[in-house]
């Protein structure tokens, strides 16, 4: 991997400031990585090299004058193809989406990045409407894992996670309504944060309602804090947004973990079968938090699996987003999406409200739990990446993606901030992740503890070999 494509956004900005290299240099390096690895991984819906270089040249001139536009000026970024990017089609992985414009708006988070001077390299892949925890779609095919191209990158923000892991820009925006930034972050060895619901404004509103969050996927927690300072600003188009936070996430990450009360749940009270390598990696991360001064107790939040309630909410969203499809459009859909949309359409309003009742009870339980504990730590995923191109691991006996990601979707139901931090590689060289969860509105605690793991070297994983030579792994 070239030096510039391996740098964090923070280090790129320092280099621009010192005159060590320019935004044009950094953007060329990101584009090179995107183009070189695209045939093998398929992380991108589109790579906009010419436009990106034009933006980078404008940024370089601002830096030359000593007048950077904002805190991301010149940093190469990518955007999941669920979020609006002005001037570019948003196709959502579906043949039902028309590429015809005009595309005149940015999503709120994209708009804030543009105002901060970011350079947009391209749009990354998603399953159709972001409906599942792996990334393949009828329109754009299968996205593969940078560490082993026979494996999935995870999803639904799999293209973004692969792009960051491969050096095609240190920052990307993903969406997460059931684990969709945390799953691929765990599988691809990067950092991701699902913020508190409403912390990052969303427009247009997601069909999956208040399960859906927009969050940063980055090289490390410091970069995520930098990006959160940018994208947490208010936007009038989102009626459910939170107020712009006081203070800076980038400053608060430096406060460390000494004295924080950490609940460590290795397997949700024995309810989840966790791969031994993953369990060991997560335990090492917890031990490091304890060495850094956190007060760790092995305990469990003690809730039953809310999967059926989540399905009532999730499948209703799938039914809504496809409600007005023609017969021809339904025929072209991902078959799995068609199945869950039909399931959702068959459920009643009372079924949906029963799911809301479970959600409210779970939210209360976690609210009370966090009166005792600042953080809950679990595995992000109970296993590492499995075969690419399938919804569930082959031979698992599972039916839907939710069955193999029991640690993620509960915290979409509760709207809590949750992050995935790398915690090493398994025996096959595949990344593993540890999940950190805090009470609603305490995104700062999640970022602080995550940053502490990076600072202590506990979150370092080697880059994928594919990033270095562009060849198939």
């Amino acid at each position: 991997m070239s030096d510039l494509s391996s740098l964090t956004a923070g280090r790129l900005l320092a280099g621009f400031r010192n005159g060590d290299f320019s935004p044009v240099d950094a953007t060329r390096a990101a584009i090179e990585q995107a183009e070189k690895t695209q045939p093998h991984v398929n992380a991108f819906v589109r790579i906009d090299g010419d436009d990106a270089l034009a933006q980078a040249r404008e940024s370089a001139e601002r830096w030359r004058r000593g007048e950077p536009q904002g805190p991301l000026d010149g940093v190469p970024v990518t955007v999941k193809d669920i979020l609006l990017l002005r001037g570019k089609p948003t196709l959502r992985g579906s043949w039902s989406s028309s590429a015809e414009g005009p595309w005149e708006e940015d999503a709120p988070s994209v708009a804030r990045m543009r105002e901060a001077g970011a350079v947009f390299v391209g749009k990354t892949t998603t399953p159709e409407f972001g409906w599942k925890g792996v990334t393949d779609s009828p329109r754009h095919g299968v996205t593969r894992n940078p560490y082993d191209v026979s494996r999935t990158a995870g999803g639904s923000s799999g293209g973004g996670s692969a792009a960051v892991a491969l050096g095609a820009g240190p920052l990307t925006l993903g969406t997460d309504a059931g684990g969709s930034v945390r799953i691929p972050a765990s599988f691809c060895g990067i950092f991701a944060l699902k913020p508190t619901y409403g912390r990052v404004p969303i427009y247009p509103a997601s069909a999956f309602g208040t399960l859906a969050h927009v969050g940063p996927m980055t090289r490390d927690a410091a970069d995520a804090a930098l990006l959160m300072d940018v994208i947490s600003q208010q936007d009038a188009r989102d009626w459910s947004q939170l107020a712009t936070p006081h203070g800076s996430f980038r400053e608060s990450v430096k406060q460390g973990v000494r004295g924080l009360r950490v609940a460590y749940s290795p397997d949700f009270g024995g309810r989840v079968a966790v791969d031994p390598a993953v369990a060991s990696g997560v335990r090492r991360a917890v031990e490091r938090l304890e060495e850094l001064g956190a007060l760790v107790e092995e305990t469990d939040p003690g809730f039953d699996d809310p999967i059926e309630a989540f399905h009532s909410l999730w499948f209703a969203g799938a039914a809504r987003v496809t409600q007005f499809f023609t017969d021809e459009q339904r025929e072209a859909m991902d078959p799995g999406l068609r199945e869950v949309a039909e399931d959702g359409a068959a459920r009643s309003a009372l079924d949906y409200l029963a799911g809301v009742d479970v959600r409210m009870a779970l939210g209360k339980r976690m609210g009370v739990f966090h009166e005792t504990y600042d953080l809950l730590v679990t595995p992000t995923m109970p296993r590492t990446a499995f075969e690419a191109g399938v919804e569930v691991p082959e031979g698992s006996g599972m039916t839907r993606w939710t069955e193999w990601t029991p640690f993620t979707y509960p915290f979409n139901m509760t709207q809590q901030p949750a992050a995935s931090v790398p915690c090493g590689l398994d025996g096959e060289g595949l990344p593993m992740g540890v999940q950190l969860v805090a009470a609603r509105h305490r995104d700062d605690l999640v970022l602080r503890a995550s940053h502490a793991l990076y600072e202590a070297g506990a979150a370092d994983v080697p880059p994928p070999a594919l990033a270095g030579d562009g060849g198939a792994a």
Side-chain angles (χ1 to χ4, degrees), residues 203-219:
Y203 173 83
S206 171
F208 300 106
T210 58
L211 295 171
H213 305 58
V214 171
M217 306 175 73
T218 60
R219 291 198 177 282

Side-chain angles (χ1 to χ4, degrees), residues 92-433:
R92 303 176 178 88
S94 179
W95 287 114
S96 68
S97 300
S98 171
E100 294 183 9
W103 299 94
E104 297 178 335
E105 286 188 287
D106 285 325
S109 50
V110 176
R112 303 295 86 76
M113 291 174 79
R114 192 184 298 278
E115 291 162 4
V119 172
F120 295 95
V121 172
K123 300 203 80 177
T124 57
T125 52
T126 176
E128 192 166 12
F129 298 107
W131 81 272
K132 60 184 175 180
V134 294
T135 301
D136 58 74
S137 73
R139 187 154 191 165
H140 298 118
V142 177
T143 297
R144 299 178 179 275
N145 194 299
Y147 284 82
D148 179 348
V149 294
S150 73
R151 311 291 183 109
T152 180
S156 63
S157 305
S161 64
V164 171
L166 290 166
L171 308 178
T172 194
L173 289 174
T175 62
D176 186 318
S180 290
V181 300
R182 291 161 289 156
I183 295 167
S186 181
F187 281 178
C188 293
I190 68 165
F191 179 80
L193 172 69
K194 178 189 76 67
T196 299
Y197 179 79
R199 174 55 60 216
V200 179
I202 298 177
Y203 173 83
S206 171
F208 300 106
T210 58
L211 295 171
H213 305 58
V214 171
M217 306 175 73
T218 60
R219 291 198 177 282
D220 62 16
D223 269 9
L226 166 66
L227 186 49
M228 281 293 291
D229 280 347
V230 171
I231 64 177
S232 294
Q233 308 303 307
Q234 288 181 277
D235 190 293
R237 294 172 291 176
D238 183 356
W239 63 270
S240 63
Q241 67 189 311
L242 298 175
T244 298
H246 298 291
S248 164
F249 289 114
R250 198 177 187 191
E251 289 302 315
S252 68
V253 296
K254 303 172 184 178
Q255 296 175 18
V257 297
R258 184 165 300 280
L260 292 184
R261 302 161 299 170
V262 174
Y264 166 43
S265 179
D267 53 15
F268 275 171
R271 184 160 56 78
V272 179
V274 177
D275 180 271
V278 173
S280 295
V282 172
R283 184 172 291 277
R284 287 193 300 271
V286 171
E287 290 170 351
R288 185 56 61 90
L289 289 173
E290 193 165 29
E291 291 167 2
L292 294 170
L295 308 174
V296 176
E297 178 182 346
E298 186 168 330
T299 188
D300 184 70
F303 56 78
D304 295 330
D305 189 352
I307 189 169
E308 284 307 315
F310 181 80
H311 282 171
S312 290
L313 305 174
W314 187 258
F315 295 172
R320 178 59 176 167
V321 79
T322 60
Q323 181 177 2
F324 300 110
F325 276 21
T326 64
D327 290 344
E328 182 179 8
Q329 287 173 327
R330 289 188 183 278
E331 184 63 27
M333 284 168 60
D334 181 327
L337 175 58
R338 187 163 56 241
E339 289 171 8
V340 301
E342 290 170 354
D343 184 320
R347 300 192 186 212
S348 70
L350 290 177
D351 294 330
Y352 186 93
L353 291 174
V356 172
D357 286 344
V358 171
R359 183 181 192 181
M360 294 173 70
L362 180 59
K364 175 187 174 183
R365 175 177 285 274
M366 290 309 302
V368 172
F369 183 83
H370 283 292
E371 289 185 326
T372 303
Y373 301 102
D374 297 302
L375 293 168
L376 169 66
V377 178
T378 75
T380 306
M381 299 295 301
R383 58 166 300 153
T384 52
F386 53 86
E387 308 90 331
V390 295
E391 183 184 345
V392 300
E394 293 179 359
S396 66
M398 298 177 181
T399 304
R400 294 269 79 100
W401 65 270
T402 42
E403 295 172 64
W404 50 260
T405 180
F407 294 111
T408 59
Y409 58 80
F411 304 112
N412 292 83
M413 298 179 75
T414 61
Q415 302 186 338
Q416 294 172 247
S420 182
V421 181
C423 62
L425 304 179
D426 73 357
E428 297 181 279
L430 296 170
M432 307 177 294

